[in-house]
Amino acid sequence: MGSPTVDISWPSSIIESFDRSFDIQIEEGNSSDTLDFLQNTKPSAYYNQNIPKPPPLPRKILNRKLAKSCCVPKETRAVWEKLFNEGYGADVHIISGDGSIIAAHCSVLSVASQVLGNLLQQSKVKNGIRCIRIPGVPYDALCAFIRFLYSSCYEDEEMKKFVLHLLVLSHSYAVPSLKRVCEHVLEQGWLSKENVIDVLQLARSCDAPRLAFICLRMVVRDFKSISGTEAWKVMRRANPSLEQELLESVVEADSRKQERLKKIEEKKVYLQLHDAMEALLHICRDGCRTIGPRDKVLKGSHVACGFPACKGLETLIRHFYGCKAKVPGGCVHCKRMWQLLELHSRMCNEPEYCKVPLCRHFKVKMQQQSKKDEAKWRLLVSKVIAAKNAQKLFSSPRSSF
């Protein structure tokens, strides 16, 4: 928490005034109780009947899966499929790496891909046929690519089998619709710890930042398993700079996680301090169970209390009441009690009417503290108030229309 620790010696007259302001009925209790209680407040939402109901919200867009084809009539797709399958009037031959030929139409390819159109314009014409070679790609993957250019259709099995080839082709020949399909297939369950490194390198080469980010996140989450795969060993030899980048990402993610957990724990402490301030004010003003001001009638320990921190604070007050060394340096529990009293004083806006002991005394004492101690206390007060305000903000129900 980093709460300030200011060693202060208190005169016996102040201690005696604290003793006289309380009526404590001695009762056996568990001294190991702590202030580990959180108060969950949920303010009621205001609803005005005179306000007319707003129009209904837009319909929620469902997480639709990519279909096998584009959203065009079935008859139109059939025509383009037939044109591709039969190759009627084809004036282009696309030659794969094994020498297989795919018949196509220059006008269709030029419209579907500007890159292919430029290649076709530069190619030589022989017997009325233009020929271009696309090596390094299996024939079936090349067929699936050309088919998509005609009708935007594809088979699921072919897509899953040749998705990496199709991703490279869609990027190389500037076919963004096919590229989106390939990225979707890769993101939806195709990645594994064995292939994520290869896909990460491919995604960066093909300018697919979202896919690269998903791969990077997967590496960070399961670094131990992925770093032992064969793909990682190959990447380490071929691309050591990428390995260094991934290692730095893992270290950075771990640091962020530790910092986030630290802030969560600090926030819990600040919330406990705020609850302790409310419980202290409640005890000094109204009394609780067997402890409270002398002008109040105590009702006994069987009465339920709405302040969760009261039980732990009651134990601390009982110790402070009976401890022989009440100065902060003499007892760690008494030191904690002094700090709670001073924290309350710094958060109290009505010291002249406050019933908490030493509240006005601490207000006067603030003027005599050093700037360093004053800055520590101000920081602590601001964080306690901010933590409580944040809890109210997130715990309050959303307004319903």
Side-chain angles (χ1 to χ4, degrees):
M1 177 187 68
S3 60
T5 57
V6 185
D7 294 334
I8 306 169
S9 299
W10 299 98
S12 58
S13 58
I14 298 178
I15 300 175
E16 292 174 359
S17 65
F18 181 89
D19 294 341
R20 288 196 296 268
S21 63
F22 276 91
D23 182 14
I24 302 178
Q25 299 178 6
I26 303 300
E27 183 180 84
E28 292 184 358
N30 187 1
S31 60
S32 62
D33 293 337
T34 62
L35 303 181
D36 192 15
F37 299 93
L38 297 178
Q39 184 177 1
N40 184 15
T41 57
K42 295 185 178 180
S44 58
Y46 176 77
Y47 182 77
N48 193 339
Q49 297 292 340
N50 297 326
I51 299 178
K53 293 184 178 181
L57 296 174
R59 296 181 63 185
K60 184 178 180 181
I61 300 177
L62 300 178
N63 184 19
R64 67 176 187 272
K65 297 181 179 179
L66 294 173
K68 284 188 177 182
S69 60
C70 61
C71 298
V72 295
K74 182 178 179 180
E75 294 77 10
T76 303
R77 297 200 305 270
V79 170
W80 288 105
E81 286 277 273
K82 184 176 181 180
L83 181 63
F84 168 72
N85 292 330
E86 296 183 359
Y88 179 78
D91 55 357
V92 174
H93 283 174
I94 301 175
I95 305 174
S96 64
D98 61 356
S100 302
I101 298 176
I102 302 175
H105 301 81
C106 180
S107 57
V108 175
L109 299 183
S110 299
V111 171
S113 170
Q114 185 177 359
V115 177
L116 277 175
N118 294 335
L119 290 177
L120 290 171
Q121 291 297 327
Q122 300 172 10
S123 62
K124 295 182 180 180
V125 181
K126 184 178 181 180
N127 299 327
I129 302 295
R130 297 179 182 272
C131 296
I132 58 173
R133 291 182 176 273
I134 303 181
V137 182
Y139 172 78
D140 293 337
L142 194 56
C143 280
F145 173 65
I146 302 301
R147 178 194 177 191
F148 189 92
L149 297 182
Y150 274 79
S151 60
S152 296
C153 294
Y154 63 89
E155 299 296 333
D156 287 339
E157 293 301 324
E158 288 184 348
M159 177 58 66
K160 293 178 181 179
K161 184 177 181 180
F162 301 113
V163 61
L164 296 181
H165 298 90
L166 294 176
L167 176 63
V168 175
L169 289 170
S170 63
H171 174 72
S172 302
Y173 296 103
V175 186
S177 57
L178 177 58
K179 188 175 181 179
R180 288 194 296 270
V181 174
C182 295
E183 291 177 356
H184 178 81
V185 172
L186 290 170
E187 294 170 5
Q188 300 300 318
W190 196 88
L191 294 174
S192 65
K193 64 180 182 180
E194 286 78 16
N195 61 27
V196 65
I197 296 297
D198 296 331
V199 177
L200 172 60
Q201 298 177 85
L202 188 61
R204 292 191 171 187
S205 301
C206 295
D207 191 22
R210 173 182 167 84
L211 179 60
F213 174 76
I214 292 176
C215 293
L216 178 60
R217 186 172 58 180
M218 184 174 177
V219 172
V220 171
R221 288 181 176 179
D222 195 14
F223 174 74
K224 185 176 181 180
S225 300
I226 294 175
S227 60
T229 61
E230 188 64 28
W232 180 279
K233 297 176 182 178
V234 174
M235 178 268 296
R236 182 169 52 189
R237 293 192 298 268
N239 194 355
S241 61
L242 177 58
E243 182 194 22
Q244 181 65 27
E245 181 182 347
L246 294 178
L247 292 176
E248 292 176 357
S249 299
V250 172
V251 173
E252 183 181 356
D254 185 66
S255 299
R256 288 198 303 266
K257 181 180 178 181
Q258 296 298 329
E259 186 66 22
R260 186 166 58 251
L261 293 177
K262 181 181 178 181
K263 289 183 178 180
I264 292 175
E265 292 301 320
E266 287 183 352
K267 184 179 178 181
K268 289 181 180 179
V269 175
Y270 296 139
L271 288 174
Q272 291 174 13
L273 285 175
H274 191 280
D275 292 343
M277 294 301 98
E278 292 183 342
L280 179 62
L281 184 62
H282 161 64
I283 290 174
C284 298
R285 182 184 57 194
D286 306 322
C288 182
R289 289 189 285 261
T290 62
I291 187 170
R294 290 185 177 276
D295 58 349
K296 296 290 183 179
V297 179
L298 302 178
K299 299 180 180 180
S301 59
H302 63 280
V303 179
C305 179
F307 292 85
C310 272
K311 189 175 181 181
L313 189 58
E314 178 183 356
T315 303
L316 188 60
I317 293 176
R318 287 184 180 280
H319 169 83
F320 186 81
Y321 178 79
C323 184
K324 301 302 181 181
K326 290 187 174 64
V327 294
C331 175
V332 63
H333 300 294
C334 294
K335 181 178 181 180
R336 185 179 305 172
M337 189 66 205
W338 285 119
Q339 291 175 342
L340 290 178
L341 291 172
E342 183 167 357
L343 179 60
H344 161 79
S345 178
R346 292 178 177 273
M347 297 177 63
C348 182
N349 297 323
E350 298 179 349
E352 298 299 328
Y353 305 98
C354 183
K355 293 186 177 182
V356 177
L358 307 179
C359 183
R360 290 185 296 273
H361 174 82
F362 279 112
K363 288 289 186 182
V364 176
K365 174 181 169 295
M366 293 178 196
Q367 303 175 2
Q368 304 173 1
Q369 281 188 332
S370 64
K371 293 183 178 180
K372 183 177 181 181
D373 293 336
E374 182 68 18
K376 288 182 178 180
W377 280 106
R378 286 185 179 180
L379 179 62
L380 176 61
V381 171
S382 64
K383 289 189 175 183
V384 170
I385 296 176
K388 192 62 179 181
N389 292 338
Q391 186 194 44
K392 291 181 179 180
L393 178 64
F394 288 107
S395 62
S396 59
R398 294 182 180 179
S399 301
S400 57
F401 297 97

